[in-house]
Amino acid sequence: MIEVKNISKTYGKNENSFTALHDVSFKISDGSSLAILGKSGSGKSTLMHILALLDKPTKGSVLIDDSDTSEMTSHELDKLRNEKFGFVFQQFFMNSNDTVLDNVILPLKVAGVTKRERKRRALEALKAVEMLDKAKNKASDLSGGQKQRVCIARALVNNPSIIFADEPTGNLDTATGDVIENLLFGLHKDKGITLIIVTHDADLAAKCEENIYMRDGKIVTKREAKL
Amino acid sequence: MRYIDIIATANHNLKRNKLRTILTIVAVFIGSFTITLTVGLNAGVNDYISKQLGTLGGDNVLIVTAKGMNSAPTSEPKEYNPNQSTNSTFGLTINTMNDVDVAKIKSVDKVTKVTPQLIPTVSYIQGSSDKKYQLASVNQMVDGIKVDVVAGSAPDNNSTDNQIDILPSYVSVLGFKDNTDAVGKTLTIAAKTPLGLIQTVEAKIVGVQNDSLLASGGFMINDHLTRQLYDITTEGMPDSIRNNYYAVVATISSGMTEKEITDVKNMVKDLGYNAMTVRDRIGTVSTIINAISYALIGFGAVALLAASFGVINTLFMAVQERTKEIGLMKAVGMSGGRVFILFSIEAILLGFWGSLIGMSLAYVVGSGLSNYASQTFLKDLKGFTLIEFPITYLLIVMGVVMLIAYLAGTLPARRAAKLNPIDALRYE
Ligand SMILES: Nc1ncnc2c1ncn2[C@@H]1O[C@H](COP(=O)(O)OP(=O)(O)O)[C@@H](O)[C@H]1O
Ligand SMILES: [Mg+2]
């Protein structure tokens, strides 16, 4: 379970400072799906980065399974992200000169998994996103939708308990976007992976059990899971 | 991330921008090449010198000369001393030593024997052929010194025969088939009396010796032969001129430590003489070679300094280009420390390849030069490899170059390590 307690985030200092998040609190239970909605600049990415332990809040704390992440060392945070989290970004962030397989392998390489094992697991992840036949292709040869599928495979490869996706369909047309959505929700249902998705898309949000609407760094409405 | 993967990744990253990598390696290569060649030259020369010292022995032998006006004219005026013996040849006055000096040196504790060095001049030599040859010098055999013989043995000072060791380059011209053939044959040696009359003596060739730094083109002769030749060249002269020595050799009792020998040397010096061991004498050659080496190594170091800026530049560009990638690696849990290691290894690899190529080429060029030298101007100095590449030296050069590359890489590597993944991923 992730618990967000009164977090604020201020960028910069003094007169140049800008507060992107104001006193935000909520909880996400394991295995649920959450959509963070709002207009551009409303603080969705900032919030997601803090949830994903990529950034630290200026005030407040993030608790993961009841332990306060502000008390963890950077090494513990790195390990947690490496083992428990998967990331999907709007801009893909792939090494275009490397093969699809190498891109998917990266988190396992960082984790220190042996060569044979990581190849096996990466191929398995590519199979799950139906990209096995492109494993040896260069990443730059793929279409946008194919790239995002590879990114999902990369997010999936370490068997995460949570996948963070920042506007995963933002750069895709509706049809390909739907494929990506179905993939993510399939993983959510089949593997019980918690999904945290930042999106503008109301249809995508509707598929999530919980919604958070943001405006100017504040949560304006919450739709929580019906129990 | 495991080290083997970090190294593989670093290597892979260097291949991404091949041209830039190659240009940086070339800069490292130039420095490594110069330094390796210089170190090789230094090793070759010093190795030869120490080999010479090893084969020469003579650690318990002091070469004693008179102080002042004994070599090049000194700039300082020196007061005349009627007791100081001198020798004037070609208008140059040299302070020499006489029997009083010999007795004084002999009185020093632990000095067992003092042999005046007589320097007879030889007019010509003649072997079994009709031709007569000039000879630059003859060297009086010093007991305790080992002679590097290729055939036969060293002249024996205790023998009452005339004995001589000749140099290999004279073997065939003197009419002998080969080195072993020369041994046991007779050599005629001619010297001039002060009145200009040629007189000859016969000597038995007991050995053929390699030329060396000490022999420097001269034949080695025993005491008996030395005395005979000296008597001819000083015939009819008064004793005050005859017993006038350029140098005397003091033999110290054997089995003494280096410190004890130094003590004896200082005692002799305190009596007002210059005293040198064989090691000291050859050491001066070493000093000159070392000075040249340091100058060349300095040049190589400047080249390496320039190369390290190349490494810094290359890696800063790489960090810039790969900002997003670094951000992603950190997001998926790679620690700053590992990112630092990754870039450091890229720097070290640049150093590794640069030094490997530099050293390999230096090896090829150096071996070629060495071969050429030993077939030409070093022909007579047997066992002298001009440029040598001992593996330890190569490893040290490589280690130092890699260390320099690493140090240059720390700046960009630190920047990469400190990158905030969020900023890196937002960066457009
Ligand atoms: N590093 C930063 N420094 C200053 N302001 C920032 C920084 N990152 C984001 N912001 C600001 O914070 C606000 C929220 O940004 P963001 O969370 O990216 O919004 P969203 O993802 O909802 O579009 C924006 O106004 C943005 O300009
Ligand atoms: Mg955003």
Side-chain angles (χ1 to χ4, degrees):
Chain A
M1 188 179 71
I2 303 179
E3 190 175 353
V4 176
K5 273 188 180 167
N6 310 98
I7 57 169
S8 298
K9 177 72 186 179
T10 305
Y11 290 111
K13 288 211 168 72
N14 306 327
E15 61 267 29
N16 291 326
S17 70
F18 176 80
T19 302
L21 289 178
H22 295 271
D23 196 26
V24 173
S25 301
F26 61 92
K27 285 181 194 175
I28 314 155
S29 47
D30 287 342
S32 70
S33 53
L34 168 74
I36 302 171
L37 291 132
K39 291 206 178 97
S40 186
S42 58
K44 307 182 296 293
S45 294
T46 304
L47 176 61
M48 199 202 82
H49 290 153
I50 290 172
L51 285 175
L53 309 177
L54 290 169
D55 206 354
K56 290 198 164 90
T58 318
K59 271 192 222 135
S61 51
V62 178
L63 281 73
I64 292 189
D65 297 335
D66 294 325
S67 50
D68 190 343
T69 56
S70 66
E71 281 161 16
M72 292 183 185
T73 63
S74 66
H75 179 74
E76 285 169 327
L77 293 174
D78 286 340
K79 198 167 145 70
L80 196 65
R81 283 202 309 278
N82 185 253
E83 288 172 357
K84 294 240 162 95
F85 296 175
F87 297 96
V88 179
F89 301 96
Q90 182 179 355
Q91 300 98 327
F92 317 130
F93 298 127
M94 296 176 76
N95 290 334
S96 45
N97 289 322
D98 287 352
T99 63
V100 164
L101 187 65
D102 284 338
N103 271 284
V104 176
I105 273 174
L106 184 75
L108 298 180
K109 225 187 215 181
V110 169
V113 176
T114 60
K115 215 165 184 167
R116 272 184 60 181
E117 174 68 5
R118 67 192 184 213
K119 187 172 177 189
R120 190 187 64 75
R121 281 164 63 179
L123 289 174
E124 206 173 86
L126 280 171
K127 197 173 167 197
V129 298
E130 290 170 17
M131 288 289 290
L132 200 53
D133 54 326
K134 300 275 191 216
K136 294 267 182 279
N137 286 46
K138 261 187 151 191
S140 52
D141 296 342
L142 304 181
S143 70
Q146 287 173 325
K147 277 185 185 161
Q148 200 58 301
R149 268 151 65 180
V150 173
C151 287
I152 291 172
R154 183 177 66 193
L156 191 67
V157 78
N158 58 341
N159 276 325
S161 43
I162 309 168
I163 287 181
F164 294 92
D166 194 346
E167 310 204 26
T169 57
N171 275 352
L172 306 175
D173 60 68
T174 322
T176 14
D178 283 347
V179 175
I180 297 301
E181 281 171 26
N182 290 337
L183 258 176
L184 285 172
F185 282 98
L187 292 169
H188 169 63
K189 289 208 182 70
D190 300 344
K191 302 200 175 189
I193 297 175
T194 309
L195 278 186
I196 297 178
I197 305 176
V198 168
T199 185
H200 302 294
D201 183 350
D203 290 342
L204 177 53
K207 289 185 186 165
C208 291
E209 289 148 24
E210 302 178 39
N211 285 181
I212 286 175
Y213 295 87
M214 301 204 51
R215 188 183 299 145
D216 300 331
K218 295 186 187 99
I219 297 180
V220 282
T221 22
K222 278 189 216 174
R223 178 170 68 78
E224 287 180 14
K226 296 160 214 114
L227 295 171
Chain B
M1 201 161 179
R2 299 186 316 163
Y3 277 99
I4 182 156
D5 290 326
I6 294 182
I7 294 169
T9 308
N11 208 23
H12 178 78
N13 287 341
L14 287 177
K15 282 189 205 145
R16 287 202 215 167
N17 198 327
K18 285 199 186 70
L19 184 65
R20 192 171 68 201
T21 301
I22 288 169
L23 289 175
T24 314
I25 287 176
V26 165
V28 178
F29 151 81
I30 292 168
S32 312
F33 176 79
T34 318
I35 288 183
T36 308
L37 215 51
T38 310
V39 167
L41 176 70
N42 193 279
V45 173
N46 282 330
D47 181 49
Y48 177 68
I49 287 168
S50 66
K51 251 197 252 168
Q52 288 266 304
L53 285 173
T55 53
L56 279 168
D59 275 346
N60 60 334
V61 169
L62 283 182
I63 301 154
V64 186
T65 52
K67 248 206 183 110
M69 299 252 167
N70 62 336
S71 50
T74 49
S75 52
E76 262 186 44
K78 217 166 177 266
E79 203 179 325
Y80 175 69
N81 173 1
N83 294 326
Q84 174 71 60
S85 44
T86 58
N87 181 321
S88 304
T89 317
F90 301 117
L92 196 69
T93 300
I94 293 171
N95 284 351
T96 55
M97 299 166 87
N98 55 33
D99 289 333
V100 178
D101 298 308
V102 170
K104 254 165 90 180
I105 295 163
K106 204 162 191 171
S107 70
V108 172
D109 195 24
K110 297 286 198 296
V111 171
T112 54
K113 191 178 155 197
V114 180
T115 321
Q117 289 301 93
L118 307 171
I119 312 177
T121 43
V122 171
S123 300
Y124 67 81
I125 50 171
Q126 187 176 15
S128 60
S129 79
D130 293 340
K131 288 209 176 108
K132 294 167 183 168
Y133 288 90
Q134 280 195 313
L135 186 63
S137 69
V138 284
N139 303 314
Q140 189 178 357
M141 174 69 192
V142 175
D143 284 327
I145 282 188
K146 287 177 221 147
V147 179
D148 184 12
V149 287
V150 278
S153 59
D156 179 7
N157 277 344
N158 296 321
S159 169
T160 50
D161 295 331
N162 287 334
Q163 295 192 348
I164 190 162
D165 269 9
I166 64 170
L167 295 173
S169 50
Y170 282 85
V171 168
S172 67
V173 296
L174 290 173
F176 307 119
K177 281 207 292 281
D178 54 35
N179 292 345
T180 33
D181 180 51
V183 176
K185 297 281 158 55
T186 304
L187 188 72
T188 306
I189 305 164
K192 252 184 225 166
T193 66
L195 296 176
L197 293 172
I198 296 273
Q199 288 192 13
T200 59
V201 290
E202 303 219 313
K204 191 176 156 199
I205 299 171
V206 293
V208 180
Q209 69 164 122
N210 271 330
D211 203 356
S212 69
L213 291 176
L214 266 197
S216 49
F219 286 7
M220 189 73 85
I221 58 179
N222 70 345
D223 281 352
H224 193 261
L225 179 55
T226 309
R227 182 50 74 179
Q228 284 216 352
L229 290 171
Y230 194 69
D231 284 347
I232 294 169
T233 53
T234 60
E235 196 186 69
M237 284 183 171
D239 277 356
S240 63
I241 293 175
R242 279 172 56 89
N243 299 340
N244 190 349
Y245 318 120
Y246 173 70
V248 301
V249 168
T251 310
I252 306 168
S253 39
S254 55
M256 296 192 30
T257 63
E258 211 167 301
K259 192 189 166 296
E260 286 170 322
I261 290 169
T262 310
D263 288 344
V264 175
K265 186 164 87 182
N266 288 335
M267 277 194 275
V268 174
K269 278 183 171 170
D270 288 345
L271 291 174
Y273 302 102
N274 292 320
M276 271 183 167
T277 60
V278 175
R279 200 171 286 272
D280 294 337
R281 236 177 107 169
I282 290 188
T284 47
V285 177
S286 201
T287 312
I288 294 166
I289 289 296
N290 284 339
I292 296 171
S293 304
Y294 294 147
L296 285 173
I297 286 175
F299 173 76
V302 171
L304 278 185
L305 185 73
S308 61
F309 282 98
V311 171
I312 294 175
N313 186 47
T314 296
L315 289 186
F316 264 129
M317 283 167 81
V319 172
Q320 190 82 4
E321 282 168 7
R322 305 214 299 264
T323 299
K324 287 214 157 96
E325 191 187 322
I326 298 162
L328 182 71
M329 289 198 293
K330 293 187 95 173
V332 300
M334 184 139 157
S335 67
R338 291 282 145 140
V339 173
F340 181 86
I341 292 170
L342 176 63
F343 279 88
S344 295
I345 287 181
E346 286 182 32
I348 291 170
L349 282 175
L350 288 171
F352 171 77
W353 289 115
S355 60
L356 189 72
I357 299 169
M359 286 181 354
S360 307
L361 205 73
Y363 185 84
V364 172
V365 171
S367 306
L369 277 177
S370 239
N371 272 342
Y372 174 76
S374 46
Q375 280 161 25
T376 53
F377 60 96
L378 296 181
K379 203 170 178 180
D380 289 331
L381 295 182
K382 286 281 166 331
F384 190 173
T385 314
L386 184 61
I387 303 171
E388 272 180 13
F389 298 99
I391 186 79
T392 43
Y393 282 33
L394 293 183
L395 290 178
I396 290 170
V397 170
M398 189 175 239
V400 168
V401 172
M402 281 161 68
L403 179 71
I404 291 170
Y406 162 77
L407 291 176
T410 51
L411 258 98
R414 259 169 64 101
R415 174 178 291 185
K418 282 185 163 173
L419 259 177
N420 180 348
I422 303 299
D423 297 340
L425 293 174
R426 276 191 201 266
Y427 172 92
E428 293 303 329

